[in-house]
Amino acid sequence: MFDGFYGRLRQQTGDRWLHYIHHPFVRQLADGTLPASAFRRYLTQDYLFLIHFARAYALLVSKFQTLPEMRAATRSLNAIVDELPLHLRYCAQWGLTGKEMAAETEAPETLNYTRYVLDIGHAGDALDLLTALMPCVAGYAEIGIGLLNDTQTVLTGNPYAAWIENYGDPLYLSGVQASLTLFENLAVQRGGASRFEALAGIFATATRLETAFWQMGLDAASTMPEAR
């Protein structure tokens, strides 16, 4: 799944990518030790993030000129929009309501990441925009698969087991594969090889912003009281 042009970008990102997929936030999810306040902060900001992520995919649709490409991008857009009610139901298990999360102020990390992706989309073409989206789309799949196959991951009694299983679920992974296929085709059509340096810069920046998003959640554990 993680080869081709995407694999080249991932490899080029080096240690920055490894820090993203093995961040302490992720490791604490895996062993169930992540403070609940950190996870609630993450869930709230992720809800706001997903709204802008949907906007980015709507923008991506407008960047295409052929119906097959538009349909592929629209499927990803619909998947995000359809995910929001599921996200809300999951958040409710953590005492978070849609109204409360919608009223929450966007964290600087959320603003930085989402507006960067949208800015790339407005300034560049479909390949630029999809490059900025891929660290999230494919990165979460790699994290999900990695955690499910890691013997050190605790699922029994882990309050974050459902989150882990969601991102390793075959249905989610099939959507990721569809996005990767679109990306690989686009890289061929839009001269990705000749633009590699610039695209690698976009990919690396998005990866750094993803990592900062994890850290934002982790930092909340030291500033927010634990709910009982």
Side-chain angles (χ1 to χ4, degrees):
M1 178 181 283
F2 307 121
D3 51 11
F5 192 74
Y6 167 80
R8 286 185 61 199
L9 292 173
R10 178 189 173 285
Q11 184 175 21
Q12 179 72 15
T13 309
D15 289 344
R16 182 174 292 175
W17 182 262
L18 296 178
H19 184 48
Y20 161 44
I21 64 172
H22 298 300
H23 191 273
F25 185 97
V26 176
R27 299 313 311 166
Q28 290 177 36
L29 282 173
D31 60 25
T33 62
L34 183 72
S37 57
F39 193 59
R40 289 190 182 92
R41 175 65 166 171
Y42 161 78
L43 286 177
T44 298
Q45 292 298 314
D46 194 44
Y47 175 74
L48 302 174
F49 171 88
L50 284 171
I51 294 172
H52 294 295
F53 209 55
R55 293 178 59 209
Y57 264 100
L59 177 60
L60 181 64
V61 175
S62 73
K63 295 282 181 178
F64 288 122
Q65 297 181 357
T66 70
L67 282 175
E69 290 174 329
M70 292 170 66
R71 289 192 185 101
T74 299
R75 282 192 291 271
S76 294
L77 170 60
N78 289 338
I80 296 168
V81 173
D82 291 343
E83 180 185 347
L84 284 167
L86 299 175
H87 188 83
L88 284 173
R89 287 197 290 274
Y90 181 68
C91 289
Q93 300 174 28
W94 289 86
L96 300 169
T97 69
K99 184 176 181 180
E100 290 171 338
M101 290 190 292
E104 188 72 22
T105 300
E106 288 182 75
E109 293 83 358
T110 307
L111 283 166
N112 290 343
Y113 190 9
T114 59
R115 299 330 187 264
Y116 173 74
V117 171
L118 287 166
D119 182 62
I120 288 294
H122 284 294
D125 67 0
L127 182 56
D128 291 314
L129 178 51
L130 201 49
T131 298
L133 292 167
M134 291 315 293
C136 180
V137 174
Y140 268 54
E142 183 171 349
I143 289 168
I145 293 171
L147 293 184
L148 286 176
N149 290 308
D150 188 343
T151 58
Q152 296 184 16
T153 298
V154 177
L155 294 178
T156 303
N158 185 342
Y160 309 115
W163 187 96
I164 295 169
E165 290 168 343
N166 177 68
Y167 289 107
D169 183 84
L171 183 61
Y172 176 76
L173 296 179
S174 68
V176 173
Q177 185 59 66
S179 292
L180 283 168
T181 298
L182 176 63
F183 182 67
E184 294 297 329
N185 291 338
L186 199 60
V188 173
Q189 296 166 9
R190 304 291 177 94
S194 64
R195 300 164 54 183
F196 183 78
E197 185 175 350
L199 294 170
I202 293 172
F203 191 91
T205 298
T207 299
R208 175 175 57 81
L209 294 171
E210 273 285 1
T211 306
F213 202 80
W214 290 141
Q215 190 62 46
M216 171 269 301
L218 201 59
D219 289 344
S222 62
T223 59
M224 300 172 67
E226 286 296 303
R228 299 295 181 184

